[in-house]
Amino acid sequence: MLIEDLKVILKVAEFCSITAAAASLDMLTATASAAVKRVENALGADLFIRTTRQLRLSGAGERFIPKCEEALLMLDLAKQDLKEGSAEVSGDLRIGVSSDFGRNLVSPWLDEFQDRHPGINLKVNISDSQVDFYRDPVDIALRYGPPGDANLYGFKICDVPRLLCAAPNYLDRQSIPKHPRDLTSHNGLFYQLHGIIHNKWEFSHKEKIFKVQMSGNCSSNDGDLVRRWCVAGKGLAIKSCLDMSSDLLDGKVVPLMANYLPKSTELWLVCPGRQTITPAVRIIRDTIREKCIGILLQLVSKKILSEGAVKNIDSKY
């Protein structure tokens, strides 16, 4: 039996659908169906009971699938052990990243990574929507916030302060806000996800919370577009300091209300399970962490962030 055929079997068992399994593996339904037939012929048993409406595991399938999954996991771990002892890193790697962070920072970092490891074939999925590892064609994802599913595995890259920002040319036309109550006269630039506009802004100061219902004429489900609007002087935006780092360091935007901080977030590298943590994933994780911490330290050195905002950075950086 081919290992690739066994991987198809596991996906079919996971989705209870050959069509869904094929879509997840980026192959034709007919190709997945042929793989199932090859394995069943080799075993001399039907692993699935098929009807016109559904597909489910047979008794033989219920016994075979767990052992098959365990065997493939052991094989993957053995491959990882071999690769970790070698300088050569190769294979396919599918990574999901958010629009702003992905386009403007991660993309050039991945180019550098691929230059050092030409044996890696990268597939980058850029989207601000939450990754669904059972639906989306990705192996790992870089996302703000920890994994929301206990079945997922993640590495925290770093803490990420968020900042209220505006372009100097916007502030030339408007008063500079000093307190959250001053924001109601300003134009907000909003991130929108699943039809929900994030126009309720929250700030903290000396353990007090200040909430502001903002108004504004621009909202988008693309975080990169919100950043571009902010740089263009269309209004105020609350953004990750990493997303805005180049614009902050170049003076294209400035941070506002330093004493009233939006809630910070965290950057995580998320995987569907330990079996996807290959040597390439570990190298990318360490590379991105080093790059992000370097940016945070630059922002501290320029007084854009306070030293306390990055107090959890390891001393080796």
Side-chain angles (χ1 to χ4, degrees), residues 36-269:
V36 172
K37 289 179 181 178
R38 283 194 295 268
V39 173
E40 290 181 328
N41 289 339
L43 293 173
D46 291 334
L47 299 177
F48 303 99
I49 297 173
R50 304 164 178 82
T51 69
T52 56
R53 293 182 176 228
Q54 65 178 0
L55 178 148
R56 61 183 176 86
L57 286 174
S58 66
E62 290 177 350
R63 295 191 300 274
F64 178 77
I65 293 300
K67 294 186 180 298
C68 176
E69 189 172 21
E70 183 179 351
L72 289 183
L73 175 59
M74 293 300 295
L75 181 59
D76 285 340
L77 292 174
K79 287 179 179 179
Q80 288 180 31
D81 288 340
L82 286 176
K83 288 182 178 179
E84 287 172 359
S86 169
E88 181 66 24
V89 177
S90 60
D92 294 337
L93 183 61
R94 304 175 301 176
I95 181 169
V97 290
S98 58
S99 63
D100 202 345
F101 187 56
R103 288 191 186 100
N104 300 309
L105 291 176
V106 177
S107 180
W109 297 345
L110 292 177
D111 290 342
E112 292 178 20
F113 170 78
Q114 202 166 28
D115 287 342
R116 293 195 303 271
H117 304 284
I120 289 289
N121 299 315
L122 281 174
K123 295 182 179 179
V124 183
N125 184 328
I126 291 183
S127 172
D128 280 334
S129 296
Q130 192 72 24
V131 167
D132 183 341
F133 287 102
Y134 301 107
R135 179 197 65 204
D136 301 325
V138 297
D139 302 309
I140 59 174
L142 275 166
R143 279 292 180 267
Y144 288 119
D149 186 336
N151 294 318
L152 300 178
Y153 192 84
F155 298 100
K156 181 179 172 181
I157 302 297
C158 61
D159 293 320
V160 184
R162 295 164 72 235
L163 299 173
L164 176 67
C165 300
N169 63 353
Y170 174 80
L171 298 174
D172 288 341
R173 306 188 306 269
Q174 300 286 338
S175 60
I176 297 176
K178 303 294 186 182
H179 188 279
R181 63 173 170 263
D182 300 335
L183 296 177
T184 54
S185 62
H186 286 267
N187 190 55
L189 307 172
F190 306 125
Y191 177 63
Q192 177 180 333
L193 184 63
H194 303 311
I196 299 174
I197 298 176
H198 293 264
N199 57 0
K200 295 181 177 66
W201 290 358
E202 185 175 303
F203 303 86
S204 62
H205 173 64
K206 294 181 179 180
E207 299 183 354
K208 291 184 178 180
I209 302 298
F210 299 83
K211 297 181 180 181
V212 181
Q213 176 70 55
M214 293 292 297
S215 60
N217 58 7
C218 295
S219 65
S220 175
N221 64 347
D222 187 322
D224 187 35
L225 183 54
V226 176
R227 182 190 63 82
R228 290 171 185 268
W229 283 337
C230 186
V231 173
K234 294 178 73 68
L236 305 178
I238 291 179
K239 292 282 292 176
S240 148
C241 67
L242 290 177
D243 289 354
M244 299 297 294
S245 57
S246 295
D247 302 311
L248 288 163
L249 292 168
D250 292 341
K252 294 179 180 178
V253 298
V254 295
L256 301 170
M257 298 194 329
N259 293 325
Y260 298 88
L261 298 177
K263 185 177 180 180
S264 65
T265 185
E266 300 169 349
L267 182 65
W268 282 71
L269 180 67

Side-chain angles (χ1 to χ4, degrees), residues 7-23:
K7 291 179 178 178
V8 173
I9 289 289
L10 293 184
K11 280 295 181 184
V12 173
E14 178 183 323
F15 288 104
C16 292
S17 166
I18 293 177
T19 301

